[in-house]
Amino acid sequence: MSELYDILVETPPTKVILLALDQGLWDCERSLAELSALCEANHMEAVAEVTQKRQTPETGIVLGSGKLEEAAAAAAELGAECAVFDGELTGSQIRNISTALGGMEVIDRTMLILEIFRSRAVTNEGKLQTELALLRYRLPRLQGMGESLSRQGGGGGGGGGARRGAGETKLGESRKARAKTGMPVVSLVGYTNVGKSSLMNALCGPSVAEADMLFATLDPTSRKLVLPSGMAVLLVDTVGFVSRLPHNLVEAFKSTLEEAAWSDVIVRVADAGDEQREEQLAVTDEVLDGLDCADIPRLTVYNKCDKPGALSFDPDILLTSAKTGYGLEALLKKLDETLSDRVHTIRVLLPYDKLGLAAPMRERGSVQVEEYREDGLYLEGIVKTEDLHCFEGYLC
């Protein structure tokens, strides 16, 4: 069992409390649901929400002192270690709120997003972009974060990000390993809270440390998925799009999606019951087009179709429910169709001194029939198009 699996699975997520000031500028309930999903992406669990409706922030502490007392009591009762504010805070506000909460670590929405971006950046340029954005954002807030930083003992700034430690290195290593497998890559792309992670678990099964679950012990955002044809693919859950993303974070966000440009298929996931789904899909396409992904096949999935208020769609559109399992079989068949030109079903008879040639079928395809015969090993199975040359002269 790998170090990262120990960190991200066996170690419980950091418990946090969410704070929000509702000035009527946006849907506060929706924003907090997104913030909770962002916390989950950073190995944090939101155990309580404390909100206050008021037209203007309280000087120095944003929320009223009574609300912060309520938050401190809830945090103590539920064992929360960190408070996450749904908005941007100044250094003095961070310090004052932390003091009001008994010295608890306090981070804001932008800082949390930046930590997620940094952990998901793939290329060296992307890593530099996200690190630069994080440093620029933290610089004017260092005074307010002083005590929190001293408790973190190095690593990323803020909440679960600081607790990942060596895991971030493992994430980078696993991405290199993906490229070496040669397996087709299917990326799930969409906004935070549309159910991408739930869809992955519904398709691949719950996250476990089984040896045959490729990368399950290395990278929780990549899982092996076997399609109905028997073809194995890597299903990758990319970092979610975020509403109200500050303009200065746009480039940092794009750098975390560069992985989509390596995909064989991109699955755009939307919430079937969200009135903003079409607008979100349009934004998703705009960003993908800017990442040199125009030639990669895209499928659109409307997830959460079991929710009350989900609209009816054209029967040709992929409707799924990660909760009930509805539509998952249709999605798998569609992936098979889209990737059909990448694989072939073959029958081969390999001499016993050539058994090593079976590796491409075992590792990047699938073996459906295996028989040890007098004159060699007989195999029936699926191989990728680029591996066909390995079996020349041995086809039956």
Side-chain angles (χ1 to χ4, degrees):
M1 192 171 293
S2 75
E3 181 179 2
L4 182 62
Y5 188 83
D6 294 338
I7 294 172
L8 293 184
V9 179
E10 292 192 343
T11 302
T14 302
K15 293 183 178 181
V16 300
I17 186 169
L18 307 184
L19 307 178
L21 176 66
D22 185 1
Q23 296 178 272
L25 302 177
W26 53 75
D27 186 333
C28 187
E29 182 178 352
R30 180 189 181 98
S31 185
L32 282 172
E34 182 178 83
L35 186 64
S36 179
L38 289 170
C39 287
E40 184 179 353
N42 204 44
H43 199 53
M44 303 160 81
E45 177 189 5
V47 295
E49 298 176 359
V50 176
T51 65
Q52 184 174 33
K53 287 187 176 182
R54 55 187 299 164
Q55 293 298 314
T56 58
E58 180 72 21
T59 303
I61 54 175
V62 187
L63 301 179
S65 57
K67 277 293 177 181
L68 289 179
E69 290 177 5
E70 177 185 330
E77 180 179 353
L78 299 171
E81 303 175 38
C82 175
V84 184
F85 184 79
D86 190 25
E88 291 191 2
L89 298 173
T90 65
S92 61
Q93 288 171 337
I94 291 174
R95 181 178 64 253
N96 294 338
I97 294 174
S98 176
T99 300
L101 296 178
M104 179 183 296
E105 180 180 358
V106 176
I107 63 174
D108 63 17
R109 187 175 185 272
T110 302
M111 200 178 305
L112 173 62
I113 292 171
L114 279 168
E115 280 295 339
I116 296 171
F117 287 2
R118 183 168 69 166
S119 71
R120 299 291 188 94
V122 179
T123 65
N124 287 334
E125 181 182 357
K127 291 175 183 178
L128 289 173
Q129 286 178 349
T130 54
E131 187 70 23
L132 179 60
L134 181 62
L135 291 174
R136 283 176 172 170
Y137 189 73
R138 288 175 56 184
L139 182 60
R141 294 166 174 80
L142 287 177
Q143 182 180 3
M145 296 170 59
E147 294 183 5
S148 295
L149 288 172
S150 68
R151 290 196 300 271
Q152 290 169 8
R163 296 170 175 83
R164 277 192 299 269
E168 292 186 4
T169 301
K170 290 291 186 182
L171 289 173
E173 292 173 355
S174 66
R175 290 190 176 99
K176 294 177 183 177
R178 287 183 210 164
K180 292 180 181 179
T181 68
M183 293 173 63
V185 176
V186 177
S187 291
L188 300 176
V189 177
Y191 273 72
T192 295
N193 217 27
V194 297
K196 298 195 307 318
S197 297
S198 298
L199 192 60
M200 172 180 277
N201 288 334
L203 291 169
C204 304
S207 181
V208 291
E210 296 175 357
D212 64 342
M213 190 65 71
L214 191 62
F215 304 127
T217 60
L218 282 180
D219 186 350
T221 65
S222 298
R223 306 281 295 283
K224 180 181 179 180
L225 173 65
V226 180
L227 301 180
S229 66
M231 175 171 48
V233 303
L234 283 183
L235 189 63
V236 178
D237 181 11
T238 63
V239 64
F241 284 62
V242 182
S243 62
R244 297 176 15 239
L245 182 67
H247 180 73
N248 60 326
L249 301 190
V250 172
E251 290 304 315
F253 168 69
K254 286 183 178 179
S255 71
T256 67
L257 271 185
E258 289 174 336
E259 192 163 273
W262 304 348
S263 305
D264 296 280
V265 179
I266 294 174
V267 179
R268 302 151 69 238
V269 184
D271 184 338
D274 193 331
E275 295 180 354
Q276 300 179 21
R277 60 185 175 275
E278 300 303 328
E279 177 185 341
Q280 292 178 349
L281 286 172
V283 173
T284 301
D285 278 337
E286 182 181 350
V287 174
L288 290 175
D289 290 343
L291 294 175
D292 198 24
C293 298
D295 296 333
I296 300 176
R298 299 179 194 177
L299 302 180
T300 301
V301 169
Y302 292 95
N303 193 35
K304 301 186 180 181
C305 67
D306 58 296
K307 286 174 55 178
L311 301 180
S312 298
F313 296 88
D314 186 295
D316 292 332
I317 291 177
L318 292 169
L319 286 175
T320 63
S321 169
K323 182 178 180 181
T324 67
Y326 178 86
L328 299 186
E329 184 177 350
L331 172 57
L332 292 174
K333 289 181 179 178
K334 190 65 176 179
L335 286 172
D336 250 336
E337 292 175 13
T338 307
L339 291 166
S340 60
D341 63 336
R342 293 183 53 89
V343 297
H344 294 269
T345 300
I346 62 172
R347 299 178 179 85
V348 297
L349 183 63
L350 299 177
Y352 284 113
D353 61 346
K354 300 291 184 180
L355 295 185
L357 294 177
M361 183 183 291
R362 297 186 189 280
E363 297 174 4
R364 295 188 291 275
S366 66
V367 176
Q368 298 171 337
V369 177
E370 181 172 353
E371 297 176 0
Y372 287 90
R373 300 178 177 179
E374 290 185 5
D375 49 351
L377 176 64
Y378 173 79
L379 296 171
E380 292 182 15
I382 295 173
V383 297
K384 296 183 65 176
T385 300
E386 56 262 41
D387 290 330
L388 273 176
H389 70 279
C390 298
F391 301 95
E392 291 179 1
Y394 305 104
L395 296 173
C396 298

